[in-house]
Amino acid sequence: MNAPTPLPADYHLHTPLCKHAVGTPAEFHAAAAARGIPEICFTDHVPTPDGYDARHRMTLSDFPAYQALITALQDRETPSVRLGSAGDYYEGCEPFLREWLPAQPFDLVLGSVHYLDDWGFDSPDQRARWDTADVPAVWRHYFQQVTRLAQSRLFDVVGHFDLPKKFGHRIDETNLKRWAVPALDALAQAGMGIEINTSGFRRPVREQYPAALLLTLARERQ
């Protein structure tokens, strides 16, 4: 019998401190061990002082507790444990992130775009806005923001690169290439990685982030 294919590391895990995850870090560690995952990194959303998207992140005063929860696992056996964060890129975020992120002992910082102006476009609570949205314009704006995310040089990896497709709102291949390629070029110039995120299979889109076409385009920029 052939040995099972080893699973990759998982670098996108949240704790209950970010208010939309269930299970303790120790339970995540045990589950990863049972599945043969060699390494995990916890990446709760970065706390912000301006109240941005407070429903989905810890407060600044919670951060020491988060750090303690993760570091307490780092002397355990496989899987090894890394301390990370998930930083949201939005208008006005850079001054705080530029000072705060380097002051923390992070092994990895994910960067993502979840808001376009005041719209949390991937939030189920705000899904109805898609009904009247100019879908191509949303995608164009989104990739412009991802390009700025990369140019900020604040992050190591971009998360769920083609997130606007979450609820099934796609665009044609010509426009996808036109708007995604500048973002991919900026990511390559910044030396950033691209997360392969399988959570899309649980969403209406039923596909990983990013799509196969975008992965091919990204590979061409290595």
Side-chain angles (χ1 to χ4, degrees):
M1 181 180 294
N2 294 330
T5 302
L7 291 172
D10 189 339
Y11 292 158
H12 197 154
L13 299 175
H14 297 310
T15 78
L17 284 170
C18 67
K19 307 182 180 75
H20 59 286
V22 177
T24 67
E27 289 170 336
F28 275 100
H29 185 272
R35 289 162 175 76
I37 295 173
E39 185 169 83
I40 58 176
C41 182
F42 289 89
T43 47
D44 267 8
H45 291 279
V46 169
T48 59
D50 59 7
Y52 164 83
D53 194 29
R55 296 188 308 154
H56 297 116
R57 66 198 60 248
M58 72 184 91
T59 65
L60 281 167
S61 61
D62 288 331
F63 181 74
Y66 170 68
Q67 185 175 349
L69 282 170
I70 308 312
T71 56
L73 297 174
Q74 292 183 322
D75 60 351
R76 297 195 180 189
E77 297 180 356
T78 304
S80 56
V81 176
R82 302 291 186 181
L83 174 68
S85 67
D88 286 29
Y89 189 87
Y90 59 96
E91 298 294 336
C93 72
E94 289 195 41
F96 170 71
L97 293 179
R98 201 165 297 284
E99 178 179 352
W100 190 81
L101 286 175
Q104 314 310 322
F106 291 131
D107 297 303
L108 181 80
V109 180
L110 290 174
S112 300
V113 174
H114 288 280
Y115 270 76
L116 297 175
D117 299 322
D118 65 342
W119 180 27
F121 63 88
D122 71 316
S123 171
D125 295 338
Q126 300 187 48
R127 182 175 178 176
R129 285 184 61 171
W130 279 104
D131 295 340
T132 56
D134 180 338
V135 173
V138 172
W139 279 87
R140 182 174 64 249
H141 187 186
Y142 171 79
F143 280 125
Q144 288 170 346
Q145 287 297 93
V146 174
T147 299
R148 294 180 64 186
L149 177 158
Q151 292 170 340
S152 75
R153 304 296 176 99
L154 290 168
F155 310 100
D156 302 310
V157 176
V158 65
H160 31 60
F161 178 66
D162 51 353
L163 186 58
K165 72 184 182 184
K166 178 177 178 177
F167 300 121
H169 298 91
R170 297 179 181 270
I171 53 174
D172 62 83
E173 185 174 302
T174 298
N175 279 329
L176 182 62
K177 288 181 178 180
R178 177 186 302 164
W179 298 326
V181 162
L184 288 169
D185 287 341
L187 292 167
Q189 290 164 9
M192 290 179 60
I194 296 176
E195 173 195 40
I196 298 177
N197 185 318
T198 59
S199 69
F201 288 108
R202 306 195 309 270
R203 314 302 184 194
V205 70
R206 302 296 182 190
E207 181 181 77
Q208 83 284 342
Y209 310 103
L213 170 63
L214 296 174
L215 287 172
T216 298
L217 294 171
R219 180 65 180 269
E220 292 172 355
R221 282 152 178 81
Q222 284 189 327

